[in-house]
């Protein structure tokens, strides 16, 4: 049964902003000292050959067509693989392909590795790649589709060779194709696949997608180096307190997406290591761009005025405890091609004055988000409500539990909202693909709800298209810089920040190399003891 959204407008007088910020600093995402039994969680310590992962979000599918968050990527790529992947230092690595190169401005020549097979013993074929692209193209509301200026078509040239053809140049197609997971053509469908047939180092032996629980076993037919760990158990443990306690007790081996408070508690504990890397994910309070003409939020001047209500410095310091940086551009500056375009300023008096001059001083704001979208999400949202209260704007919150129907709300297929708390990762390490995914919306894409929160600005889309098809890298970066400034000037976000990536593991877990993309290669992980 799909959980219903949990609306969270307080029925009593809300606490002051100072109190909420203090709570955020002390508690992160609500960490408590209660017992593990208070929430659903794993029971029993892992065996000597079993690695147990505790995820903060429910892994509803081992297919990535729609279910795309960082920890999911780690598990999904252990089962299904792509032609390429983004490895250390953001370098492109070959996976199912042993050749992938641009041989014409609009064509890439690709060759599949010899002898690669799926876990059921069937060979990986050129038709499987062609079918995968067709299936991804049929998905409405896909995060991944928005990254592509256009999907390529497959032109077979041999038993293992083919060309990927596009109408216009796509100079980073080798990076983009790292997100198209290949599965046997006969079993592929546009829907998220529940079966676990893939070419990866692991196969699925047990699955409960409703609970977000899976058991993976070593794929004995794997074409690559033999994985070190026999069995991987995946558990959905939504409460951070439960995940931390389970890690300390040894019931979990790895937990992801920690708040700074939890990381501080775990740092220095015997048998536990906290890993950190700079992040390329942008977390946003993004405006709803589906508002009709005449609505206050359809006016960029109103959106800009509201940004002055947000004390980002306090949120960074007191709620996120310096584990993030406020964005100074429309994408994180760690991404290749990102530029500074401006900064968010806190000036509540200016916010009130501007809203009054624009006739929007009686605006009401509804904020929605899914639990676990980013660390300390609830504390951030509650603080924002109080910041709005300081300028005379009433705001209410609606929180969705993982596995709920927030996707329909994001697509504009459910209820109305004004601001959404959302995270957007960068599976390529390139500013271009993040910009493409969020800001390249068109009227045609909006009809199928394949835009990012309804963001459709034709001149922005055209400038992004020009940049995305520019083969000359310096010229491409010049165009990207210009379009980023143009996007900033539309004021798409109430506030945005780039969090650091925090992960904790038991010391028996070795060779877990956390990438800047906030994922890691499960097949390389070893267990000791």
């Amino acid at each position: 049964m799909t959980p219903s959204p949990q609306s969270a407008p307080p029925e009593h007088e809300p606490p002051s902003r100072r109190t909420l910020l203090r709570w955020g600093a002390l508690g992160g995402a609500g960490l408590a000292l209660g017992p593990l039994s208070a929430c659903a969680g794993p029971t029993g310590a892992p065996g000597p050959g079993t690695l147990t992962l505790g995820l903060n979000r429910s892994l509803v599918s081992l297919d990535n067509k729609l279910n795309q968050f960082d920890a999911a990527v780690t598990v999904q790529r252990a089962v299904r693989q792509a032609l390429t992947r983004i490895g250390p230092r953001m370098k492109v690595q070959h996976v199912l392909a042993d050749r992938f190169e641009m041989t014409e401005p609009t064509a890439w020549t690709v060759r599949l590795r010899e002898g690669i097979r799926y876990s059921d013993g069937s060979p990986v074929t050129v038709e499987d790649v062609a079918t995968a692209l067709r299936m991804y193209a049929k998905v409405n509301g896909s995060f991944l589709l928005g990254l592509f200026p256009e999907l390529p078509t497959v032109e077979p040239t041999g038993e293992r060779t083919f060309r990927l053809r596009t109408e216009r140049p796509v100079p980073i197609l080798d990076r983009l194709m790292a997100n198209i997971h290949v599965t046997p053509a006969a079993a592929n469908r546009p829907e998220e696949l529940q079966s676990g047939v893939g070419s990866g180092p692991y196969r699925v032996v047990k699955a409960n997608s409703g609970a977000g629980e899976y058991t993976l076993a070593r794929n004995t037919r794997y074409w690559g180096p033999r994985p070190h760990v026999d069995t991987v158990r995946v558990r959905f443990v939504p409460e951070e307190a439960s995940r931390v306690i389970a890690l300390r007790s040894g019931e979990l081996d790895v937990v992801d997406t920690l708040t700074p408070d939890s990381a501080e508690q775990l740092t220095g504990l015997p048998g536990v290591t906290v890993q950190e890397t700079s992040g390329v994910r942008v977390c946003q309070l993004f405006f709803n761009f589906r508002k009709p003409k005449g609505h206050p939020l359809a006016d960029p001047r109103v959106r800009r005025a509201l940004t002055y209500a947000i004390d980002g410095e306090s949120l960074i310091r007191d709620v996120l405890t310096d584990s993030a940086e406020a964005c100074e551009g429309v994408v994180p500056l760690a991404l290749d091609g990102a530029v500074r375009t401006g900064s968010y300023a806190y000036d509540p008096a200016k916010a009130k004055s501007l809203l009054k001059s624009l006739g929007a001083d009686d605006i009401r704001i509804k904020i929605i988000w899914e639990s676990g979208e980013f660390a300390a999400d609830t504390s951030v949202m509650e603080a924002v409500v109080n910041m709005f209260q300081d300028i005379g704007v009433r705001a209410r919150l609606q929180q969705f539990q993982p596995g709920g129907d927030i996707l329909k709300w994001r697509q504009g297929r459910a209820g109305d909202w004004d601001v959404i708390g959302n995270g957007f990762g960068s599976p390529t390490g390139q500013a271009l693909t993040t910009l493409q995914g969020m800001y390249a919306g068109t009227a045609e894409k909006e009809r199928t709800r394949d835009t990012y929160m309804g963001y459709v600005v034709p001149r922005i889309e055209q400038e992004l298209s020009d940049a995305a098809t520019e083969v000359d890298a310096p010229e491409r970066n010049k165009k990207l810089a210009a379009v980023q400034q143009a996007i900033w000037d539309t004021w798409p976000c109430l506030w945005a920040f780039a969090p650091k990536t925090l992960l904790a593991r038991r010391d028996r877990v070795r060779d877990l190399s956390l990438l800047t993309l906030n994922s890691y290669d499960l097949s390389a992980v070893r267990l000791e003891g």
Side-chain angles (χ1 to χ4, degrees), residues 254-269:
V254 182
V255 296
D256 71 300
T257 318
L258 288 172
T259 61
D261 183 72
S262 296
E264 184 177 356
Q265 292 189 37
L266 292 169
T267 299
L269 284 180

Side-chain angles (χ1 to χ4, degrees), residues 279-359:
V280 293
R281 181 180 180 84
V282 59
C283 294
Q284 310 155 310
L285 300 180
F286 203 91
F287 288 111
N288 185 353
F289 275 77
R290 294 191 175 97
K291 296 297 183 181
K293 186 176 181 180
H295 190 283
L297 290 182
D299 186 342
R301 298 173 299 171
V302 173
R303 297 195 295 266
R304 181 188 182 189
L306 289 169
T307 68
Y308 290 111
I310 306 305
D311 187 353
E313 184 177 332
S314 292
L315 289 173
I316 294 288
R317 182 187 64 242
D318 298 326
V319 179
L320 299 170
T321 56
D322 295 321
S323 67
E325 295 181 350
C327 285
E328 296 181 285
V330 291
V331 293
L333 296 178
L335 292 173
D336 184 29
V339 298
R340 286 181 172 84
T341 55
S343 60
Y344 293 97
Y346 175 53
D347 190 339
K350 187 172 184 177
K352 293 176 70 174
S353 175
L354 286 174
L355 289 174
K356 185 176 181 179
S357 69
L358 294 167

Side-chain angles (χ1 to χ4, degrees), residues 107-123:
W108 295 68
T109 297
V110 184
R111 182 177 64 195
L112 295 175
R113 291 184 186 273
E114 187 172 6
I116 50 176
R117 294 183 176 274
Y118 296 107
S119 58
D120 64 357
S122 61

Side-chain angles (χ1 to χ4, degrees), residues 54 116 124 128 170 243 274 283 329 474 478 508:
I116 50 176
V124 178
D128 295 341
V170 182
R243 287 186 288 132
V274 175
C283 294
K478 182 179 177 181
R508 80 184 196 114

